[in-house]
Amino acid sequence: MAEQRTTPRRGRGRRPAAEVRADVLAATGRLLLQEGLQAVTFDRVAREAGSSKVTLYKWWPSPGALAAEAYFAQSAPVLEFPDTGDIRADLVSQLTAFVRWLTREGAATPVAELVGAAQADPDVARAWAEEYARPRRELARKRLQVAQQEGQLREDADLDVIVDQLWGACYHRLLVLKVPFDETLVPRLVDQALYGAARLE
């Protein structure tokens, strides 16, 4: 009887690190937006992404830090900052996208949970500040700076305070007051920040 030879099956091979990382972030982002921060564990993400827990432990110090980075990746395309040459229109456009992202597209709960986790988890706090909050703030500041250079804002306008007034108001309503809000708030926020409340003489 002729000897039968079995050809070993070829596995998929090792995926490129960038592909694995993208799959992990995508899976984590889905879990975060659909089920909240408690669903983001290394066990669950590894199963969802077809990765290994060893890889996750190697790349992220905690599930919270992974969730924070996944939130940044999910939100980046939504929160791009336009530059049409009209600072009021651009602020209304960007803030409307931000408020809609929070109130209609499921980001409000994950944002609240991540900000809460950042108070106790230094890795989440570092990731939130260094990878999201400060870069997002700088994008807004640069857009305001261009408008200032173009004469759309006063030369002495405090750009950091304008950023605080606009995005800070949204976070304050979401995290502190816990009151509902929607896109109709945006034009009023922008006009108040740009034109102020003082009576013109």
Side-chain angles (χ1 to χ4, degrees):
M1 183 175 178
E3 181 181 353
Q4 292 184 342
R5 294 185 179 181
T6 303
T7 303
R9 290 168 50 191
R10 293 185 60 185
R12 290 181 60 191
R14 178 174 295 180
R15 290 184 291 163
E19 179 183 321
V20 175
R21 191 178 191 92
D23 288 347
V24 168
L25 291 175
T28 304
R30 287 193 300 273
L31 289 173
L32 183 65
L33 291 176
Q34 293 172 7
E35 301 182 35
L37 185 59
Q38 77 283 349
V40 179
T41 65
F42 283 160
D43 281 337
R44 181 81 181 276
V45 171
R47 290 198 305 271
E48 296 283 337
S51 180
S52 71
K53 286 195 297 181
V54 173
T55 297
L56 303 187
Y57 279 108
K58 178 180 178 182
W59 286 349
W60 289 280
S62 69
L66 168 57
E69 186 173 339
Y71 171 77
F72 313 150
Q74 290 280 323
S75 65
V78 178
L79 302 182
E80 290 181 353
F81 213 112
D83 184 354
T84 65
D86 182 337
I87 186 58
R88 182 186 183 279
D90 292 346
L91 288 172
V92 168
S93 176
Q94 206 285 333
L95 271 168
T96 297
F98 177 60
V99 171
R100 187 179 296 124
W101 169 247
L102 291 176
T103 61
R104 292 192 185 185
E105 298 173 19
T109 296
V111 166
E113 291 175 338
L114 284 168
V115 171
Q119 311 313 303
D121 186 333
D123 294 318
V124 178
R126 189 178 305 109
W128 182 265
E130 295 179 1
E131 302 296 333
Y132 178 76
R134 290 173 190 163
R136 296 300 313 178
R137 183 183 184 87
E138 188 59 22
L139 281 177
R141 197 180 187 287
K142 284 182 177 179
R143 179 64 191 92
L144 290 167
Q145 193 170 43
V146 169
Q148 193 174 46
Q149 293 166 350
E150 292 174 345
Q152 296 185 62
L153 299 175
R154 295 197 322 264
E155 290 184 4
D156 65 344
D158 191 321
L159 306 186
D160 290 312
V161 169
I162 294 174
V163 173
D164 291 339
Q165 287 178 301
L166 293 174
W167 286 269
C170 298
Y171 283 113
H172 186 67
R173 292 188 179 217
L174 174 69
L175 301 173
V176 179
L177 299 178
K178 299 186 182 299
V179 295
F181 61 100
D182 58 26
E183 301 100 299
T184 61
L185 173 68
V186 171
R188 289 180 285 141
L189 278 179
V190 172
D191 288 343
Q192 186 72 23
L194 293 182
Y195 310 127
R199 177 180 297 176
L200 297 178
E201 298 295 337

